[in-house]
Amino acid sequence: MRNLSSKIFSRTDFWFLTIVCAVLLSWIVISNISPHASKAVILVHGKIYKVVSLDKNALFNIKWKDIHLMTVQTKNGSIRVKESTCKNKICVRTGWISKDGQSIVCVPNRVIIYTKGAKQAPYDLMTYQ
Amino acid sequence: MNKIPLYGLLIAVGSAIYVFESFIPFPIPIPGARWGFSNMVIVYALPFTSLPWLLALVLGKAIVGGLISGRFLGPTFLMGLLGSVSSVLLMYTSLKTFKKSGLILHSVIGALSNNVVQVLIGAQIVSSWVIIGYLPYMEILATLSGSANAVIAGILLRRVSKGART
């Protein structure tokens, strides 16, 4: 067969790996210098369920069609999923998030929580359901 | 060796790695995200296989691995399958385009595209683009596991006798 002694590593690979690592590291650095967020948006099934201010310390439940999905806690400008009914608990293990643009995702319950907006909004709290 | 037993063997090995790699903890909290060490068999088959057989290998590995691990036809199964198909297409193109480069380039290209496609489909499932924030971290790990796959597959290609491949 053709090309039996396939090379593993060459000069091309070295430059390719260097460029990939440089791009990825700078992407991570840029995404981490965001300021602290003031609000968190909670999406359930792709729709906005609630927008919470992170300045207040609170503990509340998220329900969908009267089924309890998870308990969310806000404290000292951060937000976390305290407890969830999903199987693998990935959302709980994500822990606290506080910076602008971070997120907690729970695919089994189809819940997304993301932080938003370093700047002050004219309203304090907004609820939809 | 004939084609059917050879690729059957590779599918079996790939599915076994697919099941066992879920015991290795993955540091990024995205559902369905995994190291992808089972794609080692695809990197191994890449230099001497035609595109239809590569696709058959991917499909067989996804179905058998999905049945064993209980993810068959779940949402993460679709993510994994479309990710692997796209990565195979790109790896094959890269093999035909960059003739001077080694296996690491092809393998890492495959791993990167696999994750991009998985995150795009994951964003469709949860209907939000927030997940893309995890992409750079996933791609760093994909670069590591892709390089590891290429090194192991390359050493295997040198050690395994020619008779086992033709």
Side-chain angles (χ1 to χ4, degrees), chain B residues 18-47:
Chain B
Y18 183 84
V19 172
F20 275 99
E21 78 174 349
S22 52
F23 297 127
I24 310 172
F26 191 72
I28 293 176
I30 279 201
R34 45 203 298 120
W35 284 99
F37 289 123
S38 63
N39 296 323
M40 195 186 294
V41 291
I42 295 164
V43 182
Y44 172 80
L46 185 69

mmCIF file of all heavy atoms in Angstrom, chain B residues 18-47:
data_model
loop_
_atom_site.group_PDB
_atom_site.id
_atom_site.type_symbol
_atom_site.label_atom_id
_atom_site.label_comp_id
_atom_site.label_asym_id
_atom_site.label_seq_id
_atom_site.Cartn_x
_atom_site.Cartn_y
_atom_site.Cartn_z
ATOM 1 N N TYR B 18 -13.867 4.022 23.449
ATOM 2 C CA TYR B 18 -14.962 4.980 23.629
ATOM 3 C C TYR B 18 -15.632 4.790 24.976
ATOM 4 O O TYR B 18 -15.955 5.753 25.667
ATOM 5 C CB TYR B 18 -15.960 4.751 22.489
ATOM 6 C CG TYR B 18 -17.144 5.679 22.429
ATOM 7 C CD1 TYR B 18 -17.040 6.905 21.807
ATOM 8 C CD2 TYR B 18 -18.371 5.317 22.968
ATOM 9 C CE1 TYR B 18 -18.121 7.757 21.726
ATOM 10 C CE2 TYR B 18 -19.456 6.154 22.894
ATOM 11 C CZ TYR B 18 -19.320 7.371 22.269
ATOM 12 O OH TYR B 18 -20.396 8.211 22.201
ATOM 13 N N VAL B 19 -15.852 3.515 25.366
ATOM 14 C CA VAL B 19 -16.510 3.258 26.643
ATOM 15 C C VAL B 19 -15.554 3.569 27.795
ATOM 16 O O VAL B 19 -15.926 4.210 28.777
ATOM 17 C CB VAL B 19 -16.999 1.805 26.704
ATOM 18 C CG1 VAL B 19 -17.508 1.471 28.088
ATOM 19 C CG2 VAL B 19 -18.100 1.599 25.689
ATOM 20 N N PHE B 20 -14.284 3.142 27.642
ATOM 21 C CA PHE B 20 -13.374 3.295 28.781
ATOM 22 C C PHE B 20 -12.941 4.736 28.993
ATOM 23 O O PHE B 20 -12.615 5.117 30.105
ATOM 24 C CB PHE B 20 -12.157 2.388 28.606
ATOM 25 C CG PHE B 20 -12.419 1.006 29.101
ATOM 26 C CD1 PHE B 20 -12.759 -0.006 28.219
ATOM 27 C CD2 PHE B 20 -12.392 0.719 30.456
ATOM 28 C CE1 PHE B 20 -13.044 -1.273 28.677
ATOM 29 C CE2 PHE B 20 -12.678 -0.539 30.921
ATOM 30 C CZ PHE B 20 -13.001 -1.537 30.033
ATOM 31 N N GLU B 21 -12.958 5.560 27.940
ATOM 32 C CA GLU B 21 -12.491 6.926 28.134
ATOM 33 C C GLU B 21 -13.498 7.748 28.945
ATOM 34 O O GLU B 21 -13.151 8.790 29.470
ATOM 35 C CB GLU B 21 -12.213 7.617 26.799
ATOM 36 C CG GLU B 21 -13.467 8.080 26.104
ATOM 37 C CD GLU B 21 -13.179 8.884 24.858
ATOM 38 O OE1 GLU B 21 -12.024 9.260 24.655
ATOM 39 O OE2 GLU B 21 -14.123 9.108 24.098
ATOM 40 N N SER B 22 -14.751 7.244 29.075
ATOM 41 C CA SER B 22 -15.692 8.013 29.894
ATOM 42 C C SER B 22 -15.356 7.893 31.373
ATOM 43 O O SER B 22 -15.924 8.596 32.197
ATOM 44 C CB SER B 22 -17.123 7.559 29.626
ATOM 45 O OG SER B 22 -17.214 6.178 29.762
ATOM 46 N N PHE B 23 -14.411 6.984 31.740
ATOM 47 C CA PHE B 23 -13.966 6.919 33.125
ATOM 48 C C PHE B 23 -12.926 7.987 33.427
ATOM 49 O O PHE B 23 -12.634 8.262 34.583
ATOM 50 C CB PHE B 23 -13.391 5.541 33.449
ATOM 51 C CG PHE B 23 -14.407 4.449 33.336
ATOM 52 C CD1 PHE B 23 -14.168 3.326 32.568
ATOM 53 C CD2 PHE B 23 -15.611 4.549 34.005
ATOM 54 C CE1 PHE B 23 -15.110 2.328 32.458
ATOM 55 C CE2 PHE B 23 -16.559 3.554 33.905
ATOM 56 C CZ PHE B 23 -16.314 2.449 33.134
ATOM 57 N N ILE B 24 -12.328 8.576 32.376
ATOM 58 C CA ILE B 24 -11.348 9.640 32.606
ATOM 59 C C ILE B 24 -12.128 10.938 32.764
ATOM 60 O O ILE B 24 -12.880 11.307 31.870
ATOM 61 C CB ILE B 24 -10.373 9.768 31.419
ATOM 62 C CG1 ILE B 24 -9.793 8.406 31.062
ATOM 63 C CG2 ILE B 24 -9.266 10.748 31.737
ATOM 64 C CD1 ILE B 24 -8.989 8.412 29.788
ATOM 65 N N PRO B 25 -11.986 11.639 33.877
ATOM 66 C CA PRO B 25 -12.769 12.867 34.043
ATOM 67 C C PRO B 25 -12.368 13.930 33.021
ATOM 68 O O PRO B 25 -11.187 14.096 32.717
ATOM 69 C CB PRO B 25 -12.443 13.307 35.468
ATOM 70 C CG PRO B 25 -11.325 12.476 35.924
ATOM 71 C CD PRO B 25 -11.155 11.324 35.032
ATOM 72 N N PHE B 26 -13.405 14.616 32.502
ATOM 73 C CA PHE B 26 -13.155 15.681 31.523
ATOM 74 C C PHE B 26 -13.410 17.004 32.223
ATOM 75 O O PHE B 26 -14.474 17.203 32.811
ATOM 76 C CB PHE B 26 -14.101 15.511 30.329
ATOM 77 C CG PHE B 26 -13.758 16.375 29.154
ATOM 78 C CD1 PHE B 26 -12.648 16.090 28.390
ATOM 79 C CD2 PHE B 26 -14.538 17.477 28.824
ATOM 80 C CE1 PHE B 26 -12.322 16.877 27.300
ATOM 81 C CE2 PHE B 26 -14.215 18.261 27.740
ATOM 82 C CZ PHE B 26 -13.110 17.965 26.979
ATOM 83 N N PRO B 27 -12.427 17.915 32.255
ATOM 84 C CA PRO B 27 -12.528 19.094 33.123
ATOM 85 C C PRO B 27 -13.516 20.167 32.686
ATOM 86 O O PRO B 27 -13.680 21.138 33.413
ATOM 87 C CB PRO B 27 -11.101 19.638 33.125
ATOM 88 C CG PRO B 27 -10.492 19.116 31.893
ATOM 89 C CD PRO B 27 -11.138 17.828 31.579
ATOM 90 N N ILE B 28 -14.170 20.020 31.541
ATOM 91 C CA ILE B 28 -15.053 21.098 31.091
ATOM 92 C C ILE B 28 -16.502 20.661 31.217
ATOM 93 O O ILE B 28 -16.874 19.599 30.720
ATOM 94 C CB ILE B 28 -14.718 21.497 29.647
ATOM 95 C CG1 ILE B 28 -13.340 22.121 29.637
ATOM 96 C CG2 ILE B 28 -15.719 22.497 29.113
ATOM 97 C CD1 ILE B 28 -12.853 22.457 28.294
ATOM 98 N N PRO B 29 -17.325 21.465 31.888
ATOM 99 C CA PRO B 29 -18.709 21.033 32.156
ATOM 100 C C PRO B 29 -19.633 21.219 30.969
ATOM 101 O O PRO B 29 -20.550 22.011 31.009
ATOM 102 C CB PRO B 29 -19.123 21.926 33.325
ATOM 103 C CG PRO B 29 -18.334 23.165 33.139
ATOM 104 C CD PRO B 29 -17.037 22.756 32.520
ATOM 105 N N ILE B 30 -19.428 20.485 29.886
ATOM 106 C CA ILE B 30 -20.370 20.509 28.767
ATOM 107 C C ILE B 30 -20.878 19.094 28.577
ATOM 108 O O ILE B 30 -20.089 18.158 28.545
ATOM 109 C CB ILE B 30 -19.703 21.010 27.469
ATOM 110 C CG1 ILE B 30 -19.637 22.528 27.481
ATOM 111 C CG2 ILE B 30 -20.467 20.562 26.261
ATOM 112 C CD1 ILE B 30 -19.486 23.125 26.123
ATOM 113 N N PRO B 31 -22.181 18.912 28.469
ATOM 114 C CA PRO B 31 -22.702 17.561 28.277
ATOM 115 C C PRO B 31 -22.216 16.977 26.959
ATOM 116 O O PRO B 31 -22.224 17.670 25.939
ATOM 117 C CB PRO B 31 -24.217 17.756 28.242
ATOM 118 C CG PRO B 31 -24.449 19.131 28.697
ATOM 119 C CD PRO B 31 -23.227 19.919 28.516
ATOM 120 N N GLY B 32 -21.792 15.743 26.989
ATOM 121 C CA GLY B 32 -21.344 15.085 25.766
ATOM 122 C C GLY B 32 -19.913 15.375 25.393
ATOM 123 O O GLY B 32 -19.394 14.777 24.466
ATOM 124 N N ALA B 33 -19.256 16.299 26.099
ATOM 125 C CA ALA B 33 -17.857 16.581 25.787
ATOM 126 C C ALA B 33 -17.000 15.453 26.340
ATOM 127 O O ALA B 33 -17.226 14.969 27.440
ATOM 128 C CB ALA B 33 -17.440 17.907 26.396
ATOM 129 N N ARG B 34 -16.032 15.025 25.545
ATOM 130 C CA ARG B 34 -15.171 13.925 25.978
ATOM 131 C C ARG B 34 -13.804 14.094 25.354
ATOM 132 O O ARG B 34 -13.605 14.959 24.504
ATOM 133 C CB ARG B 34 -15.797 12.588 25.621
ATOM 134 C CG ARG B 34 -16.346 12.561 24.193
ATOM 135 C CD ARG B 34 -17.410 11.521 23.997
ATOM 136 N NE ARG B 34 -16.889 10.214 24.225
ATOM 137 C CZ ARG B 34 -17.367 9.405 25.175
ATOM 138 N NH1 ARG B 34 -18.372 9.774 25.895
ATOM 139 N NH2 ARG B 34 -16.841 8.217 25.364
ATOM 140 N N TRP B 35 -12.855 13.242 25.794
ATOM 141 C CA TRP B 35 -11.482 13.395 25.310
ATOM 142 C C TRP B 35 -11.353 13.015 23.839
ATOM 143 O O TRP B 35 -10.589 13.615 23.106
ATOM 144 C CB TRP B 35 -10.544 12.537 26.144
ATOM 145 C CG TRP B 35 -10.256 13.118 27.473
ATOM 146 C CD1 TRP B 35 -10.846 12.782 28.647
ATOM 147 C CD2 TRP B 35 -9.323 14.156 27.786
ATOM 148 N NE1 TRP B 35 -10.333 13.532 29.657
ATOM 149 C CE2 TRP B 35 -9.400 14.384 29.165
ATOM 150 C CE3 TRP B 35 -8.422 14.893 27.031
ATOM 151 C CZ2 TRP B 35 -8.620 15.326 29.808
ATOM 152 C CZ3 TRP B 35 -7.647 15.838 27.671
ATOM 153 C CH2 TRP B 35 -7.741 16.046 29.034
ATOM 154 N N GLY B 36 -12.051 11.980 23.407
ATOM 155 C CA GLY B 36 -11.956 11.582 22.007
ATOM 156 C C GLY B 36 -10.774 10.691 21.701
ATOM 157 O O GLY B 36 -10.293 10.675 20.570
ATOM 158 N N PHE B 37 -10.318 9.920 22.707
ATOM 159 C CA PHE B 37 -9.192 9.020 22.433
ATOM 160 C C PHE B 37 -9.594 7.877 21.505
ATOM 161 O O PHE B 37 -8.729 7.265 20.881
ATOM 162 C CB PHE B 37 -8.646 8.441 23.738
ATOM 163 C CG PHE B 37 -7.922 9.454 24.568
ATOM 164 C CD1 PHE B 37 -8.306 9.714 25.865
ATOM 165 C CD2 PHE B 37 -6.864 10.160 24.031
ATOM 166 C CE1 PHE B 37 -7.637 10.652 26.619
ATOM 167 C CE2 PHE B 37 -6.199 11.104 24.784
ATOM 168 C CZ PHE B 37 -6.587 11.359 26.074
ATOM 169 N N SER B 38 -10.901 7.596 21.394
ATOM 170 C CA SER B 38 -11.304 6.490 20.530
ATOM 171 C C SER B 38 -11.073 6.825 19.065
ATOM 172 O O SER B 38 -11.037 5.933 18.227
ATOM 173 C CB SER B 38 -12.773 6.169 20.759
ATOM 174 O OG SER B 38 -13.563 7.263 20.402
ATOM 175 N N ASN B 39 -10.900 8.114 18.762
ATOM 176 C CA ASN B 39 -10.633 8.474 17.373
ATOM 177 C C ASN B 39 -9.224 8.085 16.942
ATOM 178 O O ASN B 39 -8.848 8.297 15.793
ATOM 179 C CB ASN B 39 -10.849 9.967 17.172
ATOM 180 C CG ASN B 39 -12.289 10.343 17.409
ATOM 181 O OD1 ASN B 39 -13.184 9.581 17.068
ATOM 182 N ND2 ASN B 39 -12.511 11.480 18.024
ATOM 183 N N MET B 40 -8.464 7.525 17.895
ATOM 184 C CA MET B 40 -7.152 6.968 17.580
ATOM 185 C C MET B 40 -7.232 5.968 16.438
ATOM 186 O O MET B 40 -6.378 5.943 15.556
ATOM 187 C CB MET B 40 -6.655 6.282 18.842
ATOM 188 C CG MET B 40 -5.219 5.942 18.886
ATOM 189 S SD MET B 40 -4.962 5.002 20.380
ATOM 190 C CE MET B 40 -5.300 6.225 21.618
ATOM 191 N N VAL B 41 -8.296 5.127 16.416
ATOM 192 C CA VAL B 41 -8.379 4.107 15.363
ATOM 193 C C VAL B 41 -8.602 4.768 14.005
ATOM 194 O O VAL B 41 -8.146 4.257 12.984
ATOM 195 C CB VAL B 41 -9.484 3.073 15.647
ATOM 196 C CG1 VAL B 41 -9.132 2.217 16.824
ATOM 197 C CG2 VAL B 41 -10.819 3.709 15.829
ATOM 198 N N ILE B 42 -9.272 5.917 13.988
ATOM 199 C CA ILE B 42 -9.490 6.598 12.712
ATOM 200 C C ILE B 42 -8.184 7.192 12.214
ATOM 201 O O ILE B 42 -7.846 7.104 11.036
ATOM 202 C CB ILE B 42 -10.592 7.656 12.866
ATOM 203 C CG1 ILE B 42 -11.911 6.946 13.176
ATOM 204 C CG2 ILE B 42 -10.742 8.476 11.602
ATOM 205 C CD1 ILE B 42 -12.959 7.841 13.702
ATOM 206 N N VAL B 43 -7.402 7.785 13.146
ATOM 207 C CA VAL B 43 -6.094 8.314 12.752
ATOM 208 C C VAL B 43 -5.209 7.182 12.273
ATOM 209 O O VAL B 43 -4.456 7.326 11.307
ATOM 210 C CB VAL B 43 -5.446 9.056 13.936
ATOM 211 C CG1 VAL B 43 -4.122 9.643 13.521
ATOM 212 C CG2 VAL B 43 -6.352 10.139 14.445
ATOM 213 N N TYR B 44 -5.324 6.014 12.928
ATOM 214 C CA TYR B 44 -4.527 4.860 12.524
ATOM 215 C C TYR B 44 -4.900 4.421 11.115
ATOM 216 O O TYR B 44 -4.041 4.137 10.289
ATOM 217 C CB TYR B 44 -4.752 3.716 13.513
ATOM 218 C CG TYR B 44 -4.140 2.405 13.109
ATOM 219 C CD1 TYR B 44 -2.795 2.163 13.312
ATOM 220 C CD2 TYR B 44 -4.914 1.421 12.512
ATOM 221 C CE1 TYR B 44 -2.231 0.973 12.928
ATOM 222 C CE2 TYR B 44 -4.356 0.222 12.123
ATOM 223 C CZ TYR B 44 -3.007 0.007 12.334
ATOM 224 O OH TYR B 44 -2.464 -1.177 11.937
ATOM 225 N N ALA B 45 -6.192 4.412 10.806
ATOM 226 C CA ALA B 45 -6.636 3.921 9.500
ATOM 227 C C ALA B 45 -6.434 4.948 8.397
ATOM 228 O O ALA B 45 -6.401 4.605 7.221
ATOM 229 C CB ALA B 45 -8.110 3.529 9.570
ATOM 230 N N LEU B 46 -6.302 6.224 8.793
ATOM 231 C CA LEU B 46 -6.296 7.328 7.814
ATOM 232 C C LEU B 46 -5.294 7.146 6.662
ATOM 233 O O LEU B 46 -5.688 7.287 5.502
ATOM 234 C CB LEU B 46 -6.062 8.649 8.554
ATOM 235 C CG LEU B 46 -6.135 9.915 7.727
ATOM 236 C CD1 LEU B 46 -7.555 10.163 7.281
ATOM 237 C CD2 LEU B 46 -5.643 11.100 8.531
ATOM 238 N N PRO B 47 -4.006 6.824 6.925
ATOM 239 C CA PRO B 47 -3.060 6.841 5.804
ATOM 240 C C PRO B 47 -3.288 5.755 4.769
ATOM 241 O O PRO B 47 -2.783 5.870 3.656
ATOM 242 C CB PRO B 47 -1.696 6.633 6.486
ATOM 243 C CG PRO B 47 -1.906 6.920 7.899
ATOM 244 C CD PRO B 47 -3.316 6.590 8.205
#
